[in-house]
């Protein structure tokens, strides 16, 4: 009888421990890390446009192309962190031929996701996305501080015939004055990553955003994605 009682007590303790572990696992927060997926071979293709303005030189130059990004092999930075190569290709003939233009690096953990662009580390996302979160995207580089925040969290988004059930919008700049116009945001979709980039950093005159004096405009709109 003592052996049976001891066995029942042990079994009860194991059951209670297992139940506690399941409850603990079920209450872990969802950080929504899949807004920045880094599976090797994952690619995205964008309809891209870049515009350069220099009114004093009579230059308002527009370039249209396709941009393809691919998550590459494991990359270890000088801090010993494991990330991924971030390959960039451009096509000026509708995708018939591609030319590799850059190999950047990207990192992601339970706190944030980063992209190293031209040796400058940019904090793209902070996890988990909430309306209260705000961060300096340039906190690890030499650029001036630039605060970002979330809008349209877990909202549906449609672009170029593609529909996504859950996206977040990262607002990186929204400033308008007599002589400056800065409007920048990026949209990320779950299990896809970046689906839209909207970037305007312009010097203007008399609040006129349609006739910029100097500056750049960059627009990416996703048209295809998958895993190679």
């Amino acid at each position: 009888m003592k052996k049976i009682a001891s066995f029942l007590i042990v079994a009860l303790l194991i059951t209670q421990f297992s139940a506690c572990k399941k409850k603990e696992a079920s209450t872990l927060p969802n950080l929504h890390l899949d807004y920045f997926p880094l599976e090797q071979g994952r690619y995205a293709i964008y309809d891209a446009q870049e515009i350069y303005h220099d009114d004093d030189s009579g230059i308002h130059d527009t370039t249209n192309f396709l941009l393809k990004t691919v998550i590459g092999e494991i990359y270890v930075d000088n801090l010993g962190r494991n990330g991924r190569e971030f390959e960039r290709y451009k096509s000026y003939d509708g995708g018939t031929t591609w030319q590799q233009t850059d190999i950047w690096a990207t990192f992601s953990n339970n706190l944030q996701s980063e992209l190293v662009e031209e040796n400058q580390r940019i904090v793209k996302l902070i996890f988990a996305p909430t309306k209260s979160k705000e961060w300096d995207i340039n906190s690890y580089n030499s650029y001036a501080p630039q605060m970002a925040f979330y809008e349209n969290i877990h909202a549906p988004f449609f672009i170029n015939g593609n529909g996504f059930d859950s996206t977040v919008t990262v607002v990186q700049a929204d400033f308008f004055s007599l002589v400056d116009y800065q409007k920048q945001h990026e949209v990320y979709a779950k299990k896809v990553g970046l689906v839209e980039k909207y970037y305007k950093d312009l010097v203007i005159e008399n609040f006129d955003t349609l006739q910029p004096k100097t500056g750049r405009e960059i627009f990416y709109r996703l048209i295809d994605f998958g895993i190679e």
Side-chain angles (χ1 to χ4, degrees):
M1 291 295 292
K2 290 183 178 181
K3 290 183 178 180
I4 295 175
S6 298
F7 175 79
L8 291 174
I9 291 172
V10 171
L12 180 61
L13 290 174
I14 292 174
T15 301
Q16 290 178 337
F17 177 77
S18 299
C20 289
K21 294 297 287 183
K22 289 180 180 178
K23 183 177 180 181
E24 179 182 340
S26 65
T27 57
L28 290 176
N30 184 355
L31 299 178
H32 303 285
L33 304 179
D34 47 354
Y35 278 120
F36 204 86
L38 292 183
E39 299 96 333
Q40 185 170 349
R42 178 171 291 281
Y43 73 90
I45 299 176
Y46 305 90
D47 185 8
Q49 182 180 75
E50 296 184 358
I51 306 173
Y52 173 74
H53 300 281
D54 187 346
D55 196 55
D56 290 340
S57 301
I59 298 175
H60 296 278
D61 186 35
T62 300
T63 304
N64 295 294
F65 57 95
L66 294 182
L67 172 68
K68 181 179 182 180
T69 65
V70 182
I71 302 300
E73 297 181 350
I74 292 175
Y75 173 86
V76 181
D77 71 359
N78 55 7
L79 299 177
R81 302 184 310 159
N82 285 333
R84 288 282 183 180
E85 291 182 344
F86 188 83
E87 304 167 5
R88 285 167 45 95
Y89 303 82
K90 290 182 179 180
S91 174
Y92 296 94
D93 57 9
T96 302
T97 58
W98 293 92
Q99 177 183 359
Q100 187 176 70
T101 58
D102 308 279
I103 299 180
W104 293 350
T106 185
F107 302 86
S108 191
N109 54 39
N110 288 347
L111 298 177
Q112 61 194 36
S113 291
E114 306 165 7
L115 184 62
V116 181
E117 308 175 4
E118 308 295 347
N119 295 319
Q120 301 293 335
R121 185 155 45 124
I122 310 295
V123 181
K124 292 294 187 176
L125 302 177
I126 294 288
F127 300 115
T130 64
K131 290 185 177 180
S132 62
K133 282 191 169 64
E134 187 176 7
W135 69 98
D136 178 8
I137 67 173
N138 295 325
S139 55
Y140 300 112
N141 62 50
S142 59
Y143 298 148
Q146 185 172 346
M147 304 308 294
F149 59 90
Y150 284 112
E151 280 188 352
N152 304 323
I153 299 174
H154 311 315
F157 189 80
F158 297 88
I159 187 169
N160 286 332
N162 294 307
F164 303 97
D165 293 333
S166 186
T167 67
V168 292
T169 299
V170 178
V171 179
Q172 299 167 330
D174 192 1
F175 180 75
F176 183 36
S177 73
L178 177 70
V179 295
D180 291 294
Y181 183 58
Q182 298 169 359
K183 196 170 185 66
Q184 302 163 23
H185 72 256
E186 294 178 344
V187 180
Y188 292 83
K190 282 197 170 187
K191 300 181 180 179
V192 178
L194 180 71
V195 297
E196 181 183 72
K197 179 183 181 73
Y198 183 99
Y199 177 100
K200 287 190 177 188
D201 188 356
L202 306 173
V203 174
I204 59 176
E205 195 171 61
N206 296 324
F207 297 107
D208 186 359
T209 64
L210 300 180
Q211 300 292 330
K213 304 296 289 183
T214 61
R216 294 182 66 200
E217 302 179 58
I218 302 172
F219 309 103
Y220 299 162
R221 292 172 59 85
L222 185 75
I223 58 175
D224 192 20
F225 61 96
I227 297 180
E228 296 182 327

